[in-house]
Amino acid sequence: MASRARNKLNVKQVEALLWLPDPKKPLDEQRAPAEPNVYSDGGGLYLRVRPSGRSWFYIGTLDGKRIELGLGSALDISLSKAREKAGKIRSMLIDGKDPRAERSRTTAVIKPAVTFGKFAMDLVADIEDGFKNPKHRQQWRNTLTTYAQPLFDTPIADVTTENILAILQPIWLSKPETASRVRGRVERVLDAAKVKGLRSGENPARGRGHLELLLPKRSKASVKHHPALPFAEIATFMAVLGKRPAIAARALEFTILTAARSGEARGMTWSEVDMEAKLWTVPASRMKASVTHEVPLSDAALAILETCRPDKFKPTDFVFPAPRGGSLSDMALSQLLKRMERDDITVHGFRSTFRDWAGEKTQFAREEIEMALAHTVASAVERAYRRGTALEKRREVMAAWADYCLPASLPSDLANHAPAS
């Protein structure tokens, strides 16, 4: 029996695609949201699923050329309403009419000024695909909707320095990192509006030579870093962590032993691991600096991989999968620390623990330590010169770090971990 050309989706399917995680519940206790994709209902109607939202759009042809029209958010427009809109567009195309021109005539009667909020949210939707980390997409929206909300109803052409100061002054000293992000993101929104011809003149959110002259100067003490565990306590911490059976515990152990960023370890697949060469190669697409990074694996790190490796797996499978599929979330490791009653430290802080240990307790060169952390060092010429020998030197660094984290005098269950369920 031939498949239906139209009305391929049903209400239950659409509801499943619209489902998003509950921010009040741990992500590892919820089902995974729909993967970013485009779903066809037939007849030119499509549902686009992104981490930032779900929307309907129509694709058709006019005079042999492809046209695409947005139909609105799937949270506001039901499946039946979307089909109704698609049907009207389809009828116009059959009659040789351009639905875009019709839409322009309809909206030309009243053309309200573009507000800051409308332009900002549209801009985020346009640029978010360039963000490697889904968390950054949500942070962009959250910082603007939370702290720049007073600007949302203001025509973007009329945003002034006084408007910017009004949203920054309450948080400039109390939340310096957040305030800096808000300022930078508002500045980018206003710059983009100027490029679009919606603004003119100087950018009132510019920091240097402008807002810095009007906002109070921060003390260096106000700069906050990720809370880190003192390196003298790492061995005791690892002994306690090693007794926990969850896959999140194995992921955290591996993250600590490789001094990697959490996202790099959580997103690792078996295709990136060469057990015989004792090497983990992180592709450029998953690195902060967009440069491929080779991580020499200590015996302790390899032991963790051995305990996590199933009898059968595909190269694209995650090494540390979430209980309900996909990769572990950042929240999974943070929640693990909370369950261990260690709210005083962060996952990212373990990189600082490694850096402090290497700088204070070893004689390794600074460049070797920085390269172990995947920090860019020196010039391109020096990096090319060091490429041949740095890997073996970094093997020594990571082996020494593993010995420090897992000394023989402290209990360690690394070699006897049962595979996490």
Side-chain angles (χ1 to χ4, degrees), residues 6 11 31 62 73 132 148 164 199 224 246 249 253 257-258 280 282 294 297-298 322 361 368 413:
R6 296 181 187 171
V11 173
R31 62 186 175 93
L62 180 66
S73 169
K132 292 186 293 185
I164 307 299
R199 284 188 58 86
K224 296 183 179 180
E253 283 178 326
L257 290 172
T258 54
W280 168 31
V282 190
E294 292 182 321
L297 299 174
S298 63
K361 302 292 287 186
E368 294 159 12
D413 295 336

Side-chain angles (χ1 to χ4, degrees), residues 38 44 168 182 280 331 356 358-359 374 378:
V38 172
L168 292 181
V182 172
W280 168 31
M331 184 68 72
D356 293 343

Side-chain angles (χ1 to χ4, degrees), residues 182-239:
V182 172
R183 187 208 62 76
R185 289 165 185 172
V186 170
E187 181 181 25
R188 181 166 178 179
V189 170
L190 296 180
D191 275 343
K194 185 175 181 179
V195 172
K196 290 269 191 176
L198 299 175
R199 284 188 58 86
S200 60
E202 292 294 323
N203 191 323
R206 178 167 53 88
R208 181 167 296 183
H210 185 60
L211 290 180
E212 68 176 5
L213 305 176
L214 303 173
L215 290 164
K217 193 170 183 179
R218 299 169 179 152
S219 66
K220 292 184 179 180
S222 67
V223 180
K224 296 183 179 180
H225 300 281
H226 293 279
L229 184 74
F231 62 80
E233 300 176 20
I234 189 66
T236 301
F237 178 86
M238 291 293 280

